[in-house]
């Protein structure tokens, strides 16, 4: 006897194949991490923390690679939004895409493990000490001096940290006495004041619009001067006097260590 054919299963509506889901945008953190996972690209980004625009040739020389090698790396960083191009006549430059990018890279550097590299000369050792003591972090001050300024402002109740850094009324008056405009430009979406984790001190220094204004005032008044084409800056005698008188910083903090 031929068996009766099995009856077709009745579809369960609860188990039916779902319709194609709506597309949802989510941060692609992995692609951002991949941009900085290459040592050459990471070295270039760290160099650009000086706030300047560099040529591909300059960045190639700094990273120790050929220009032909540097160019595709720079294209990736521009396409990924970390760098932007700037043209001046026939010349093409690249720079960080903005202060938020700079602060992100500086913060990532503070969390990254330190890589030991050999010191090949006295000049190299002095350069490293100078960078750790005082340097530019895009448009604000970083290093030992910057952290000491932040600590002193906190101890003097010029800064409050209840909900992140904020200026007290005394802090606003202190800035005005220093010749610094505390007001944020209308339409600016930049943080008024924020902290940035210092990669050498592993402690916060001031960033945001207030940190940038303080650093610019120090440059304009020649309280600090840049050291060549590096990120390192050096306090002048006038600068040491200002921060000693206005914040009580000691000469030990204000003077770079000797080799």
């Amino acid at each position: 006897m031929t068996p009766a054919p099995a009856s077709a299963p009745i579809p369960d509506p609860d188990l039916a194949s779902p319709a194609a889901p709506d597309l949802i945008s989510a941060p692609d953190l992995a692609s951002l991490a991949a941009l900085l996972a290459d040592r050459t690209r990471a070295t270039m980004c760290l160099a650009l923390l000086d706030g300047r625009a560099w040529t591909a040739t300059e960045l190639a020389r700094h990273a120790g690679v050929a220009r032909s090698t540097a160019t595709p790396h720079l294209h990736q960083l521009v396409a990924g939004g970390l760098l932007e191009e700037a043209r001046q006549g026939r010349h093409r430059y690249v720079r960080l895409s903005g202060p938020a990018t700079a602060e992100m890279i500086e913060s990532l550097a503070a969390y990254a493990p330190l890589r030991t590299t050999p010191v090949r000369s006295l000049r190299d050792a002095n350069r490293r000490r100078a960078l750790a003591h005082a340097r530019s972090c895009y448009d604000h001050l970083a290093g030992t001096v910057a952290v000491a300024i932040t600590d002193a402002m906190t101890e003097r109740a010029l800064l409050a940290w209840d909900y992140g850094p904020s200026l007290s009324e005394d802090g606003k008056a202190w800035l005005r006495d220093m010749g610094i405009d505390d007001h944020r430009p209308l339409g600016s979406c930049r943080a008024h004041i924020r902290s940035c984790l210092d990669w050498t001190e592993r402690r916060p220094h001031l960033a945001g619009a207030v940190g940038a204004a303080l650093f610019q005032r120090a440059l304009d008044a020649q309280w600090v001067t840049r050291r060549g084409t590096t990120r390192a800056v050096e306090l002048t005698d006038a600068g040491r006097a200002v921060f000693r008188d206005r914040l009580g910083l000691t000469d030990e903090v204000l003077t770079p260590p000797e080799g």
Side-chain angles (χ1 to χ4, degrees), residues 153-166:
M153 291 181 69
T154 301
E155 291 167 2
R156 292 174 176 238
L158 306 179
L159 284 176
W161 293 83
D162 297 335
Y163 304 100
S166 62

Side-chain angles (χ1 to χ4, degrees), residues 94-109:
V94 292
R95 61 190 175 203
L96 293 179
S97 57
T101 300
E103 290 166 12
M104 177 196 70
I105 292 172
E106 177 85 359
S107 295
L108 286 174

Side-chain angles (χ1 to χ4, degrees), residues 8-131:
I10 301 174
D12 186 339
D14 293 333
L15 298 179
S17 299
D22 293 333
L23 296 178
I24 300 175
S25 297
D28 188 1
L29 187 60
S31 66
L32 173 62
L35 284 175
L36 296 172
D38 180 89
R39 197 175 300 282
T40 296
R41 292 195 293 273
T43 299
M44 292 175 173
C45 288
L46 287 172
L48 288 165
L49 282 175
D50 68 353
R52 296 188 302 121
W54 292 49
T55 66
T57 300
E58 289 172 329
L59 284 170
R61 188 181 303 116
H62 178 82
V65 297
R67 189 185 189 284
S68 59
T69 300
T71 299
H73 285 303
L74 292 174
H75 287 164
Q76 285 183 263
L77 291 168
V78 170
L82 295 185
L83 304 186
E84 62 183 16
E85 289 185 321
R87 289 181 177 271
Q88 185 176 351
R90 294 180 301 169
H91 301 288
R92 179 183 299 176
Y93 300 86
V94 292
R95 61 190 175 203
L96 293 179
S97 57
T101 300
E103 290 166 12
M104 177 196 70
I105 292 172
E106 177 85 359
S107 295
L108 286 174
Y111 286 107
L114 294 177
R115 183 168 61 99
T116 302
T117 56
V119 178
R120 295 184 173 87
S121 65
L122 179 60
R123 179 181 179 183
D124 190 26
N126 289 335
R127 183 182 65 83
R128 294 188 190 189
R129 280 192 290 268
L131 279 173

Side-chain angles (χ1 to χ4, degrees), residues 199-241:
W199 72 267
T200 51
E201 295 292 308
R202 305 297 173 109
R203 300 187 55 239
H205 59 244
L206 286 185
V210 170
L214 177 59
F215 184 49
Q216 189 60 53
R217 173 64 174 141
L219 287 170
D220 292 344
Q222 294 191 326
W223 298 337
V224 299
T225 56
R226 296 187 184 274
R227 292 172 61 109
T229 58
T230 71
R231 293 173 58 195
V233 298
E234 185 175 13
L235 274 79
T236 63
D237 290 340
R240 283 190 287 272

Side-chain angles (χ1 to χ4, degrees), residues 135-184:
R135 65 184 180 277
S136 60
C137 176
Y138 191 66
D139 61 359
H140 60 268
L141 187 65
T144 301
V145 173
V147 171
I149 288 173
T150 304
D151 287 346
M153 291 181 69
T154 301
E155 291 167 2
R156 292 174 176 238
L158 306 179
L159 284 176
W161 293 83
D162 297 335
Y163 304 100
S166 62
L167 288 169
S168 65
E169 291 303 316
D170 287 344
K172 295 175 183 179
W174 182 83
L175 284 180
R176 289 193 295 271
D177 289 343
M178 296 279 282
I180 299 169
D181 185 2
D182 166 53
H183 299 291
R184 177 169 40 184

